[in-house]
Amino acid sequence: MHYVKFIAVGFMLFFSVFIYAQKDYKFIPKNQKLLSDKQVKTMQIMITPDILLFNEQGKVLPSSQLELMTNPGYKPLFYANSEGKIKSVIFQKKNNNPAFVEKNPEAQFTKGEKALDFIVTDLNGNKIKLSELKGKVVVLNFWFTKCGPCVQEIPRLNELVNEYKNKDVVFLAITFNKKEIIENFLFDTPFNYTIAANANHVINTYGVQSYPTSIVINKKGEIVLKEIGYRTNIKSVLSKAIKNQLK
């Protein structure tokens, strides 16, 4: 079993009742409605990967910020869809300052750090060795089929692949899922990265515990970017890093 940091967390939440002037958070979809304190107190709240966490400015927070649920300095506001399923959570700070976004230690790397070599096999049986891709920019994406945030960013990643078609860029998706699981997944959800299934050894080599994780490697085989967790602007973030390395 794989330990991942976004794994669904179930717990009961008990809150003191505070009176707040409710703001109109325009980044929340119109089909989602704010749950009252009374509703929340009678529910068992399950935070699953498809639920987005926000600060009051609309910035998507990483899953590590779930700890704010028990922080007395914040009041979580729960928004549910028409079926009553929670889809968004805003962490409202009592003094109205933005929620602090802590830098995930997994995103740290040193300038000039060499990407660790590996060999994987894609879905067509082709062997890929990272060190043999020097001279190209390599974009790695660590994901799996049951990871809600991973699946949510796939359309943006596909756009990225199309943007750099015929350029010296290799897009490689790494997963621990078996080949059969990936092939079934692709029937309904196209993913245009080259996919390496059953690649546990690469995940362990890079110490990946949070999903999704993206890593950009320059033409010299050095890591130039690590992005941990889901973000709505992942395409522009990765594209900027890629363009800088293609100059």
PDB file of all heavy atoms in Angstrom, residues 29 40 81 99 117 121 129 133 142 149 151 157-158 165 187 191 195 219 226 234-236:
ATOM      1  N   PRO A  29     -17.649  28.173  -7.336  1.00  0.00           N
ATOM      2  CA  PRO A  29     -18.681  27.995  -8.376  1.00  0.00           C
ATOM      3  C   PRO A  29     -20.077  28.309  -7.851  1.00  0.00           C
ATOM      4  O   PRO A  29     -20.395  28.047  -6.691  1.00  0.00           O
ATOM      5  CB  PRO A  29     -18.543  26.512  -8.742  1.00  0.00           C
ATOM      6  CG  PRO A  29     -17.123  26.172  -8.427  1.00  0.00           C
ATOM      7  CD  PRO A  29     -16.788  26.977  -7.194  1.00  0.00           C
ATOM      8  N   VAL A  40     -22.934  21.789   9.583  1.00  0.00           N
ATOM      9  CA  VAL A  40     -21.587  21.234   9.736  1.00  0.00           C
ATOM     10  C   VAL A  40     -21.474  20.433  11.033  1.00  0.00           C
ATOM     11  O   VAL A  40     -20.885  19.340  11.067  1.00  0.00           O
ATOM     12  CB  VAL A  40     -20.530  22.362   9.706  1.00  0.00           C
ATOM     13  CG1 VAL A  40     -19.158  21.826  10.095  1.00  0.00           C
ATOM     14  CG2 VAL A  40     -20.476  22.991   8.321  1.00  0.00           C
ATOM     15  N   ASN A  81     -22.223  20.962  -3.232  1.00  0.00           N
ATOM     16  CA  ASN A  81     -22.960  21.051  -4.493  1.00  0.00           C
ATOM     17  C   ASN A  81     -24.439  20.730  -4.273  1.00  0.00           C
ATOM     18  O   ASN A  81     -24.883  20.545  -3.135  1.00  0.00           O
ATOM     19  CB  ASN A  81     -22.335  20.138  -5.553  1.00  0.00           C
ATOM     20  CG  ASN A  81     -22.379  18.660  -5.167  1.00  0.00           C
ATOM     21  OD1 ASN A  81     -23.113  18.254  -4.262  1.00  0.00           O
ATOM     22  ND2 ASN A  81     -21.595  17.856  -5.861  1.00  0.00           N
ATOM     23  N   ALA A  99      -4.647  33.078   4.725  1.00  0.00           N
ATOM     24  CA  ALA A  99      -4.140  31.826   5.275  1.00  0.00           C
ATOM     25  C   ALA A  99      -2.712  31.628   4.807  1.00  0.00           C
ATOM     26  O   ALA A  99      -2.388  31.837   3.648  1.00  0.00           O
ATOM     27  CB  ALA A  99      -5.006  30.659   4.808  1.00  0.00           C
ATOM     28  N   ASP A 117      19.100   9.156 -12.105  1.00  0.00           N
ATOM     29  CA  ASP A 117      18.825   8.376 -13.314  1.00  0.00           C
ATOM     30  C   ASP A 117      17.869   7.227 -13.017  1.00  0.00           C
ATOM     31  O   ASP A 117      17.793   6.722 -11.888  1.00  0.00           O
ATOM     32  CB  ASP A 117      20.131   7.822 -13.874  1.00  0.00           C
ATOM     33  CG  ASP A 117      20.008   7.419 -15.338  1.00  0.00           C
ATOM     34  OD1 ASP A 117      19.012   7.801 -15.981  1.00  0.00           O
ATOM     35  OD2 ASP A 117      20.923   6.728 -15.834  1.00  0.00           O
ATOM     36  N   THR A 121       9.596   1.621 -18.509  1.00  0.00           N
ATOM     37  CA  THR A 121       9.020   1.099 -19.744  1.00  0.00           C
ATOM     38  C   THR A 121       7.668   1.761 -19.970  1.00  0.00           C
ATOM     39  O   THR A 121       6.836   1.806 -19.058  1.00  0.00           O
ATOM     40  CB  THR A 121       8.828  -0.429 -19.660  1.00  0.00           C
ATOM     41  OG1 THR A 121      10.081  -1.040 -19.366  1.00  0.00           O
ATOM     42  CG2 THR A 121       8.279  -0.982 -20.970  1.00  0.00           C
ATOM     43  N   LYS A 129      15.443   5.682 -20.650  1.00  0.00           N
ATOM     44  CA  LYS A 129      16.466   5.941 -19.632  1.00  0.00           C
ATOM     45  C   LYS A 129      16.664   7.444 -19.536  1.00  0.00           C
ATOM     46  O   LYS A 129      16.949   8.106 -20.543  1.00  0.00           O
ATOM     47  CB  LYS A 129      17.783   5.253 -19.985  1.00  0.00           C
ATOM     48  CG  LYS A 129      18.839   5.363 -18.881  1.00  0.00           C
ATOM     49  CD  LYS A 129      20.071   4.524 -19.209  1.00  0.00           C
ATOM     50  CE  LYS A 129      21.074   4.576 -18.059  1.00  0.00           C
ATOM     51  NZ  LYS A 129      22.280   3.759 -18.341  1.00  0.00           N
ATOM     52  N   LEU A 133      18.244  11.138 -22.207  1.00  0.00           N
ATOM     53  CA  LEU A 133      17.424  12.248 -22.682  1.00  0.00           C
ATOM     54  C   LEU A 133      18.133  13.593 -22.533  1.00  0.00           C
ATOM     55  O   LEU A 133      17.521  14.646 -22.757  1.00  0.00           O
ATOM     56  CB  LEU A 133      16.094  12.280 -21.924  1.00  0.00           C
ATOM     57  CG  LEU A 133      15.189  11.057 -22.106  1.00  0.00           C
ATOM     58  CD1 LEU A 133      13.948  11.180 -21.234  1.00  0.00           C
ATOM     59  CD2 LEU A 133      14.805  10.869 -23.572  1.00  0.00           C
ATOM     60  N   PHE A 142       4.301  12.890 -11.434  1.00  0.00           N
ATOM     61  CA  PHE A 142       4.022  11.732 -10.579  1.00  0.00           C
ATOM     62  C   PHE A 142       2.534  11.774 -10.227  1.00  0.00           C
ATOM     63  O   PHE A 142       2.046  12.760  -9.667  1.00  0.00           O
ATOM     64  CB  PHE A 142       4.882  11.779  -9.320  1.00  0.00           C
ATOM     65  CG  PHE A 142       6.357  11.580  -9.591  1.00  0.00           C
ATOM     66  CD1 PHE A 142       7.155  12.659  -9.945  1.00  0.00           C
ATOM     67  CD2 PHE A 142       6.927  10.326  -9.514  1.00  0.00           C
ATOM     68  CE1 PHE A 142       8.509  12.482 -10.208  1.00  0.00           C
ATOM     69  CE2 PHE A 142       8.282  10.135  -9.774  1.00  0.00           C
ATOM     70  CZ  PHE A 142       9.076  11.220 -10.120  1.00  0.00           C
ATOM     71  N   PRO A 149      -6.886  15.259  -7.499  1.00  0.00           N
ATOM     72  CA  PRO A 149      -6.171  16.426  -8.014  1.00  0.00           C
ATOM     73  C   PRO A 149      -5.318  16.107  -9.242  1.00  0.00           C
ATOM     74  O   PRO A 149      -5.180  16.947 -10.133  1.00  0.00           O
ATOM     75  CB  PRO A 149      -5.297  16.852  -6.833  1.00  0.00           C
ATOM     76  CG  PRO A 149      -6.019  16.332  -5.634  1.00  0.00           C
ATOM     77  CD  PRO A 149      -6.617  15.032  -6.065  1.00  0.00           C
ATOM     78  N   VAL A 151      -5.963  13.858 -11.610  1.00  0.00           N
ATOM     79  CA  VAL A 151      -6.869  13.749 -12.752  1.00  0.00           C
ATOM     80  C   VAL A 151      -7.380  15.123 -13.158  1.00  0.00           C
ATOM     81  O   VAL A 151      -7.536  15.427 -14.347  1.00  0.00           O
ATOM     82  CB  VAL A 151      -8.043  12.807 -12.425  1.00  0.00           C
ATOM     83  CG1 VAL A 151      -9.053  12.772 -13.566  1.00  0.00           C
ATOM     84  CG2 VAL A 151      -7.523  11.397 -12.132  1.00  0.00           C
ATOM     85  N   LEU A 157      -2.325  19.666 -18.529  1.00  0.00           N
ATOM     86  CA  LEU A 157      -1.066  19.030 -18.931  1.00  0.00           C
ATOM     87  C   LEU A 157      -1.110  18.628 -20.401  1.00  0.00           C
ATOM     88  O   LEU A 157      -0.103  18.726 -21.113  1.00  0.00           O
ATOM     89  CB  LEU A 157      -0.784  17.815 -18.049  1.00  0.00           C
ATOM     90  CG  LEU A 157      -0.642  18.076 -16.540  1.00  0.00           C
ATOM     91  CD1 LEU A 157      -0.302  16.782 -15.808  1.00  0.00           C
ATOM     92  CD2 LEU A 157       0.405  19.141 -16.261  1.00  0.00           C
ATOM     93  N   ASN A 158      -2.271  18.179 -20.860  1.00  0.00           N
ATOM     94  CA  ASN A 158      -2.422  17.837 -22.277  1.00  0.00           C
ATOM     95  C   ASN A 158      -2.228  19.073 -23.157  1.00  0.00           C
ATOM     96  O   ASN A 158      -1.620  18.995 -24.236  1.00  0.00           O
ATOM     97  CB  ASN A 158      -3.795  17.221 -22.531  1.00  0.00           C
ATOM     98  CG  ASN A 158      -3.916  15.803 -22.000  1.00  0.00           C
ATOM     99  OD1 ASN A 158      -2.907  15.140 -21.726  1.00  0.00           O
ATOM    100  ND2 ASN A 158      -5.134  15.323 -21.838  1.00  0.00           N
ATOM    101  N   LYS A 165       4.739  20.586 -28.826  1.00  0.00           N
ATOM    102  CA  LYS A 165       4.864  19.544 -29.833  1.00  0.00           C
ATOM    103  C   LYS A 165       5.979  19.917 -30.814  1.00  0.00           C
ATOM    104  O   LYS A 165       6.103  21.065 -31.227  1.00  0.00           O
ATOM    105  CB  LYS A 165       3.533  19.384 -30.573  1.00  0.00           C
ATOM    106  CG  LYS A 165       3.470  18.198 -31.502  1.00  0.00           C
ATOM    107  CD  LYS A 165       2.074  18.076 -32.111  1.00  0.00           C
ATOM    108  CE  LYS A 165       1.985  16.860 -33.019  1.00  0.00           C
ATOM    109  NZ  LYS A 165       0.610  16.731 -33.616  1.00  0.00           N
ATOM    110  N   PHE A 187      -9.319   4.985 -21.489  1.00  0.00           N
ATOM    111  CA  PHE A 187     -10.518   4.890 -22.337  1.00  0.00           C
ATOM    112  C   PHE A 187     -11.398   6.125 -22.174  1.00  0.00           C
ATOM    113  O   PHE A 187     -12.014   6.613 -23.120  1.00  0.00           O
ATOM    114  CB  PHE A 187     -11.329   3.638 -21.985  1.00  0.00           C
ATOM    115  CG  PHE A 187     -10.804   2.385 -22.625  1.00  0.00           C
ATOM    116  CD1 PHE A 187     -10.462   1.287 -21.851  1.00  0.00           C
ATOM    117  CD2 PHE A 187     -10.646   2.299 -24.004  1.00  0.00           C
ATOM    118  CE1 PHE A 187      -9.973   0.127 -22.431  1.00  0.00           C
ATOM    119  CE2 PHE A 187     -10.161   1.146 -24.595  1.00  0.00           C
ATOM    120  CZ  PHE A 187      -9.818   0.053 -23.808  1.00  0.00           C
ATOM    121  N   PHE A 191      -4.615  11.063 -21.629  1.00  0.00           N
ATOM    122  CA  PHE A 191      -3.463  11.684 -20.977  1.00  0.00           C
ATOM    123  C   PHE A 191      -2.316  11.591 -21.974  1.00  0.00           C
ATOM    124  O   PHE A 191      -1.836  10.500 -22.275  1.00  0.00           O
ATOM    125  CB  PHE A 191      -3.136  10.962 -19.669  1.00  0.00           C
ATOM    126  CG  PHE A 191      -2.153  11.684 -18.780  1.00  0.00           C
ATOM    127  CD1 PHE A 191      -1.657  12.936 -19.109  1.00  0.00           C
ATOM    128  CD2 PHE A 191      -1.724  11.109 -17.591  1.00  0.00           C
ATOM    129  CE1 PHE A 191      -0.768  13.606 -18.291  1.00  0.00           C
ATOM    130  CE2 PHE A 191      -0.839  11.762 -16.760  1.00  0.00           C
ATOM    131  CZ  PHE A 191      -0.351  13.010 -17.105  1.00  0.00           C
ATOM    132  N   ILE A 195       3.471   7.545 -20.661  1.00  0.00           N
ATOM    133  CA  ILE A 195       3.162   7.025 -19.325  1.00  0.00           C
ATOM    134  C   ILE A 195       3.991   5.789 -19.012  1.00  0.00           C
ATOM    135  O   ILE A 195       4.054   4.849 -19.812  1.00  0.00           O
ATOM    136  CB  ILE A 195       1.667   6.691 -19.205  1.00  0.00           C
ATOM    137  CG1 ILE A 195       0.823   7.953 -19.467  1.00  0.00           C
ATOM    138  CG2 ILE A 195       1.349   6.107 -17.827  1.00  0.00           C
ATOM    139  CD1 ILE A 195      -0.674   7.712 -19.484  1.00  0.00           C
ATOM    140  N   LYS A 219      18.333  20.606 -19.946  1.00  0.00           N
ATOM    141  CA  LYS A 219      19.037  19.809 -20.952  1.00  0.00           C
ATOM    142  C   LYS A 219      20.315  19.175 -20.419  1.00  0.00           C
ATOM    143  O   LYS A 219      20.835  18.228 -21.018  1.00  0.00           O
ATOM    144  CB  LYS A 219      19.351  20.672 -22.180  1.00  0.00           C
ATOM    145  CG  LYS A 219      18.115  21.129 -22.937  1.00  0.00           C
ATOM    146  CD  LYS A 219      18.496  21.944 -24.164  1.00  0.00           C
ATOM    147  CE  LYS A 219      17.272  22.356 -24.963  1.00  0.00           C
ATOM    148  NZ  LYS A 219      17.622  23.097 -26.198  1.00  0.00           N
ATOM    149  N   LYS A 226      10.373  22.093  -9.021  1.00  0.00           N
ATOM    150  CA  LYS A 226       9.533  21.070  -8.406  1.00  0.00           C
ATOM    151  C   LYS A 226       8.234  21.731  -7.986  1.00  0.00           C
ATOM    152  O   LYS A 226       8.248  22.746  -7.283  1.00  0.00           O
ATOM    153  CB  LYS A 226      10.205  20.451  -7.168  1.00  0.00           C
ATOM    154  CG  LYS A 226      11.292  19.439  -7.466  1.00  0.00           C
ATOM    155  CD  LYS A 226      11.766  18.784  -6.170  1.00  0.00           C
ATOM    156  CE  LYS A 226      12.828  17.731  -6.424  1.00  0.00           C
ATOM    157  NZ  LYS A 226      13.273  17.091  -5.155  1.00  0.00           N
ATOM    158  N   ILE A 234      -1.141  25.368 -13.146  1.00  0.00           N
ATOM    159  CA  ILE A 234      -0.002  24.468 -13.351  1.00  0.00           C
ATOM    160  C   ILE A 234       0.554  24.588 -14.767  1.00  0.00           C
ATOM    161  O   ILE A 234       1.777  24.497 -14.973  1.00  0.00           O
ATOM    162  CB  ILE A 234      -0.392  23.005 -13.028  1.00  0.00           C
ATOM    163  CG1 ILE A 234       0.833  22.093 -13.084  1.00  0.00           C
ATOM    164  CG2 ILE A 234      -1.499  22.512 -13.954  1.00  0.00           C
ATOM    165  CD1 ILE A 234       1.888  22.399 -12.069  1.00  0.00           C
ATOM    166  N   LYS A 235      -0.300  24.798 -15.758  1.00  0.00           N
ATOM    167  CA  LYS A 235       0.181  24.901 -17.131  1.00  0.00           C
ATOM    168  C   LYS A 235       1.139  26.074 -17.294  1.00  0.00           C
ATOM    169  O   LYS A 235       2.230  25.924 -17.865  1.00  0.00           O
ATOM    170  CB  LYS A 235      -0.996  25.051 -18.102  1.00  0.00           C
ATOM    171  CG  LYS A 235      -0.557  25.209 -19.554  1.00  0.00           C
ATOM    172  CD  LYS A 235      -1.729  25.519 -20.471  1.00  0.00           C
ATOM    173  CE  LYS A 235      -1.256  25.842 -21.881  1.00  0.00           C
ATOM    174  NZ  LYS A 235      -2.377  26.221 -22.779  1.00  0.00           N
ATOM    175  N   SER A 236       0.759  27.240 -16.805  1.00  0.00           N
ATOM    176  CA  SER A 236       1.610  28.419 -16.970  1.00  0.00           C
ATOM    177  C   SER A 236       2.902  28.300 -16.163  1.00  0.00           C
ATOM    178  O   SER A 236       3.964  28.753 -16.611  1.00  0.00           O
ATOM    179  CB  SER A 236       0.848  29.684 -16.565  1.00  0.00           C
ATOM    180  OG  SER A 236       0.446  29.638 -15.212  1.00  0.00           O
TER     181      SER A 236
END
